[in-house]
Amino acid sequence: MSESLSGRFLGGAGGRYVSFCALYLFIYYGFGAFSPLITQYYKSIHLTGTQIGMISAVAPVVSIVAQPMWGMICDRFQIRKAVLLGTLLASGLVGLLFTAVSTYAFVFLLYILLSFFQSAIIPVSDSLTLNYTKKHQLQFGDIRMWGAVGFALAAFVTGLFVERWGPSVLFISYCLALITAFLFLMRLPGEVTESSRFTVSIFKGMKQLLRIPRFLLFLLASFCMFGAVNANNIWFSLYYQEIGGTVAGVGLAFLLFAGSEAPFMKLAGYFVRRWGIETTLLGAATFSAIRWFWYSSAPSTTAVLLIFFIQGISVGFYLATAAQFVRENTPASLQVTALAVFFSVGSGLGTMLCNLLAGWIKDEFSTLAIYLFFGVVTTIGILPLLVIRFGPWKRIEQDEGVSATQ
């Protein structure tokens, strides 16, 4: 490594490392305050399951258009830091507006606006960090795990606040966290956050991405995997209360769940070196499917909390290695575009489908049936991962992916 452990916490290069870790900590603290407990706000304004599903599907629909747009802008003009600064600030301020609305129509419209700015945050921040870690020979998972720490802390702390002061507090926490992330990003110099300028045609680049079989298969797998994972963040609060839990218990559950992601993200690099990135992704998806099927059997809240580490194995490994897989299997000149397309399909289309159907399933059947559906969807997503691992494109595409990034 080019940076010693002690040097990371000093000035210069060490200060940049700490700023990247803090950036992830507070971005995901904001998301951890918002996503797991937003259903408590929906309940407080008396929305139905179908209405919750419709609102939850708005963000993915917007991201399908907005994420590739943000990615193209970043790749074409190399203004990643500026885009991330603007979207962090705008997203935080829009989040505050939820405290002033209480009807389905206004919440729906406000969520569209929020989703437009939110859609840039994850792919752009991942792109900046991947560029930094590659340049300094660091592990992406070592920085990304701070996002899991932030998400876990926010879910627990905000859960306690919501139970005491009501759901409006989650929007205040969300705004303050993103503004803090904005301040840490400001500390990073431009040369750290931007890579060499490319002059690839945007539309030619999109066509190039869609001709890579391994990338297309991974999009399908992530459509299923991330669809269920992201939808769980919305529906788990209702599910946990249905099996006998409390709102504060929801926060504790997310503290354990998201907290377990951090050590497994730390271990992801070892497993990738030992078993390969494809096998690591396949194992993570398999554990995820098992988890959803088990939840559908209505286990006790104690059992759900005791087996918290299954989220670290499934989600932690997948999140830490998914962006790396995209980077290694797409041209260097299209890194942000490829990540944006990846997130728009997984966190976009997949999450949209899962939330829409989950809302309908809740009204027609039960919250338990939602998790049976998640298990089926994730199992379908394992199939393209098997093709990636054992299929005919493995050797050819690996060679092409390496050459494309050199």
Side-chain angles (χ1 to χ4, degrees):
M1 282 191 181
S2 59
E3 298 178 25
S4 67
L5 182 62
S6 59
R8 289 176 185 170
F9 297 96
L10 301 176
R16 291 193 289 270
Y17 183 89
V18 171
S19 292
F20 271 108
C21 293
L23 177 68
Y24 273 83
L25 177 71
F26 287 103
I27 284 176
Y28 282 90
Y29 190 99
F31 291 162
F34 191 95
S35 298
L37 297 160
I38 189 65
T39 49
Q40 301 304 313
Y41 167 71
Y42 296 150
K43 284 177 62 178
S44 72
I45 60 174
H46 309 295
L47 299 185
T48 67
T50 301
Q51 288 175 328
I52 294 173
M54 289 292 293
I55 293 173
S56 301
V58 167
V61 171
V62 173
S63 72
I64 292 167
V65 177
Q67 280 183 330
M69 181 200 73
W70 290 121
M72 290 175 184
I73 291 172
C74 290
D75 280 334
R76 185 74 176 97
F77 302 105
Q78 289 298 299
I79 52 172
R80 306 180 193 192
K81 179 179 177 180
V83 167
L84 187 55
L85 284 170
T87 53
L88 281 171
L89 186 60
S91 183
L93 295 177
V94 171
L96 278 180
L97 297 178
F98 279 89
T99 59
V101 299
S102 58
T103 62
Y104 171 68
F106 281 113
V107 171
F108 188 86
L109 293 174
L110 198 55
Y111 216 97
I112 292 175
L113 182 60
L114 179 70
S115 301
F116 176 74
F117 294 114
Q118 271 189 345
S119 63
I121 293 175
I122 301 303
V124 178
S125 60
D126 280 355
S127 175
L128 297 181
T129 309
L130 284 165
N131 180 56
Y132 172 76
T133 55
K134 181 179 180 181
K135 181 177 180 181
H136 295 275
Q137 301 176 31
L138 302 171
Q139 290 292 326
F140 172 73
D142 289 349
I143 296 177
R144 176 59 181 81
M145 71 176 184
W146 288 100
V149 172
F151 194 100
L153 288 174
F156 177 65
V157 173
T158 310
L160 295 176
F161 288 168
V162 167
E163 189 162 64
R164 182 169 183 178
W165 290 301
S168 293
V169 72
L170 72 90
F171 303 114
I172 298 171
S173 299
Y174 172 79
C175 179
L176 291 176
L178 293 197
I179 290 176
T180 305
F182 172 93
L183 296 176
F184 276 101
L185 180 59
M186 286 285 290
R187 298 182 59 192
L188 294 171
E191 63 268 18
V192 173
T193 57
E194 307 298 347
S195 56
S196 300
R197 185 177 295 275
F198 296 102
T199 56
V200 177
S201 165
I202 289 174
F203 296 104
K204 181 179 179 181
M206 286 291 291
K207 289 174 63 178
Q208 187 177 352
L209 287 174
L210 296 178
R211 290 175 180 171
I212 303 174
R214 283 166 64 83
F215 181 65
L216 288 177
L217 287 166
F218 192 59
L219 289 182
L220 178 58
S222 297
F223 172 90
C224 299
M225 178 72 178
F226 278 125
V229 167
N230 291 330
N232 170 66
N233 290 337
I234 299 295
W235 297 100
F236 181 82
S237 177
L238 298 181
Y239 165 81
Y240 190 77
Q241 291 177 81
E242 182 168 315
I243 62 173
T246 63
V247 176
V250 172
L252 175 60
F254 272 102
L255 172 66
L256 295 173
F257 293 158
S260 73
E261 293 176 17
F264 283 100
M265 286 181 178
K266 183 74 174 178
L267 290 171
Y270 167 79
F271 278 87
V272 168
R273 291 190 298 272
R274 180 70 176 82
W275 303 106
I277 193 168
E278 297 93 344
T279 302
T280 303
L281 289 165
L282 184 59
T286 302
F287 270 95
S288 190
I290 293 171
R291 177 192 184 188
W292 305 140
F293 283 125
W294 179 58
Y295 277 12
S296 70
S297 68
S300 67
T301 56
T302 302
V304 169
L305 295 179
L306 287 176
I307 314 297
F308 69 91
F309 55 84
I310 196 170
Q311 172 145 335
I313 298 174
S314 56
V315 181
F317 276 165
Y318 204 92
L319 286 175
T321 53
Q324 182 180 342
F325 181 91
V326 173
R327 183 189 67 187
E328 293 181 359
N329 289 273
T330 56
S333 59
L334 297 169
Q335 293 288 281
V336 182
T337 302
L339 284 167
V341 171
F342 160 67
F343 279 110
S344 69
V345 171
S347 298
L349 284 171
T351 306
M352 176 191 69
L353 174 66
C354 286
N355 275 323
L356 283 174
L357 291 180
W360 174 78
I361 290 170
K362 180 185 181 301
D363 286 343
E364 295 295 324
F365 301 98
S366 68
T367 308
L368 293 177
I370 291 176
Y371 283 85
L372 179 61
F373 165 66
F374 288 167
V376 172
V377 168
T378 305
T379 301
I380 294 172
I382 292 173
L383 300 179
L385 290 176
L386 288 170
V387 177
I388 290 172
R389 175 66 180 84
F390 301 105
W393 298 291
K394 183 177 188 296
R395 188 73 236 165
I396 297 174
E397 290 300 332
Q398 279 184 337
D399 293 338
E400 289 178 356
V402 171
S403 63
T405 57
Q406 290 177 342

